[in-house]
Amino acid sequence: MTANTQPVKKDSILILDIDGTLTDSIAMHQEALLGAMQTLMLEHLNTDWGSYPHHTDTGIFAHAMKEHGRTGISPDQMASFERDLGSRFSVLLAERGLREITGARTFVKAMETTRWGVVFATGGIRSVSRQKLHAVAIDFVEEALLTSSEHAARDDLVKAARVRAMHLYDMDKPRAVVSVGDGLWDMRVASALGLGFVGIGSPDSASGRALRTQGATVVDDLGDVIRCLESS
């Protein structure tokens, strides 16, 4: 299957986060990231990942290195970091397996027969993001996956996802663009770029409460996203 051979003409874009939105992978990813960052031997490593200017793997790596006087990161250094992170995540995945967020695979599959063209935009690196989607059997094409391996800043990542979707689904001017995610950064980027946003999070989860406090539309079941999209 390719993204531009869909049975239904696509006129709108759906940008999907992965961690916490499609896969229950946040804790596993953060464990792998911590291990990869600790090998850098940075004396005062800030492990509050959410406090970094760019909440992405490569954004965190670059900022932490700069804060410790290690500027001018080479492609080889970045590649080494990504290999280490990918390897650590692979080990954890093999040990523990990975669950989808309830209904994720069915939801993504259902989008194939709608007017919504799906792309994935995630703060994880490409190798790890591939592993997550494969682990829960979510079908995707490489061109529809945008990661921090290509864009360290989340706003650049989401902007690139929009442009990629327009190309993949042959849209001159999308009727609507909606981002779906579980974090405040997902909501803030969507707002800054003038996109629609639907949050994922149960009423008793910290992320769900935070999004609701900020006035976001939040659902605790991916099936409910479809009803939100119908009004877009």
Side-chain angles (χ1 to χ4, degrees):
M1 183 190 74
T2 59
N4 58 0
T5 58
Q6 302 293 335
V8 176
K9 172 63 178 175
K10 304 295 186 179
D11 66 11
S12 298
I13 298 170
L14 189 63
I15 301 173
L16 300 178
D17 177 41
I18 295 178
D19 294 290
T21 301
L22 301 177
T23 62
D24 187 10
S25 49
I26 294 175
M28 190 185 299
H29 188 113
Q30 289 186 345
E31 185 174 339
L33 177 62
L34 176 61
M37 293 296 293
Q38 287 176 330
T39 65
L40 302 174
M41 304 299 290
L42 302 177
E43 187 175 357
H44 301 291
L45 176 64
N46 174 15
T47 59
D48 179 8
W49 312 129
S51 69
Y52 280 71
H54 300 300
H55 188 76
T56 67
D57 290 344
T58 55
I60 288 168
F61 171 73
H63 186 76
M65 293 285 277
K66 182 179 179 180
E67 288 288 285
H68 287 79
R70 302 187 194 180
T71 57
I73 298 169
S74 70
D76 284 346
Q77 286 175 304
M78 183 63 76
S80 178
F81 165 73
E82 290 202 24
R83 282 194 300 271
D84 186 27
L85 176 54
S87 177
R88 289 174 184 276
F89 188 84
S90 294
V91 170
L92 294 174
L93 181 61
E95 290 175 350
R96 304 174 190 175
L98 186 64
R99 296 182 304 170
E100 67 170 349
I101 297 298
T102 303
R105 184 169 57 252
T106 299
F107 171 75
V108 174
K109 182 70 176 175
M111 289 299 100
E112 292 180 9
T113 58
T114 72
R115 64 185 176 90
W116 294 87
V118 171
V119 286
F120 305 88
T122 175
I125 59 172
R126 178 163 289 270
S127 65
V128 169
S129 302
R130 283 195 199 109
Q131 291 182 64
K132 293 168 185 172
L133 293 176
H134 285 310
V136 298
I138 289 178
D139 190 29
F140 70 100
V141 294
E142 286 290 334
E143 295 86 353
L145 177 61
L146 286 296
T147 75
S148 72
S149 292
E150 299 84 48
H151 302 280
R154 279 189 174 265
D155 53 348
D156 291 339
L157 185 62
V158 174
K159 281 190 281 189
R162 184 182 186 276
V163 172
R164 182 69 57 83
M166 290 174 65
H167 171 72
L168 287 173
Y169 299 105
D170 192 24
M171 294 182 209
D172 290 330
K173 186 175 181 180
R175 175 177 166 186
V177 183
V178 174
S179 173
V180 179
D182 70 309
L184 284 173
W185 44 86
D186 298 310
M187 182 198 71
R188 288 167 180 158
V189 169
S191 177
L193 298 180
L195 311 182
F197 177 74
V198 179
I200 300 295
S202 64
D204 59 350
S205 69
S207 60
R209 289 195 301 271
L211 287 169
R212 287 178 173 85
T213 298
Q214 293 298 313
T217 297
V218 185
V219 298
D220 58 6
D221 187 310
L222 280 161
D224 291 333
V225 174
I226 296 176
R227 286 186 281 278
C228 295
L229 295 178
E230 289 173 349
S231 62
S232 298

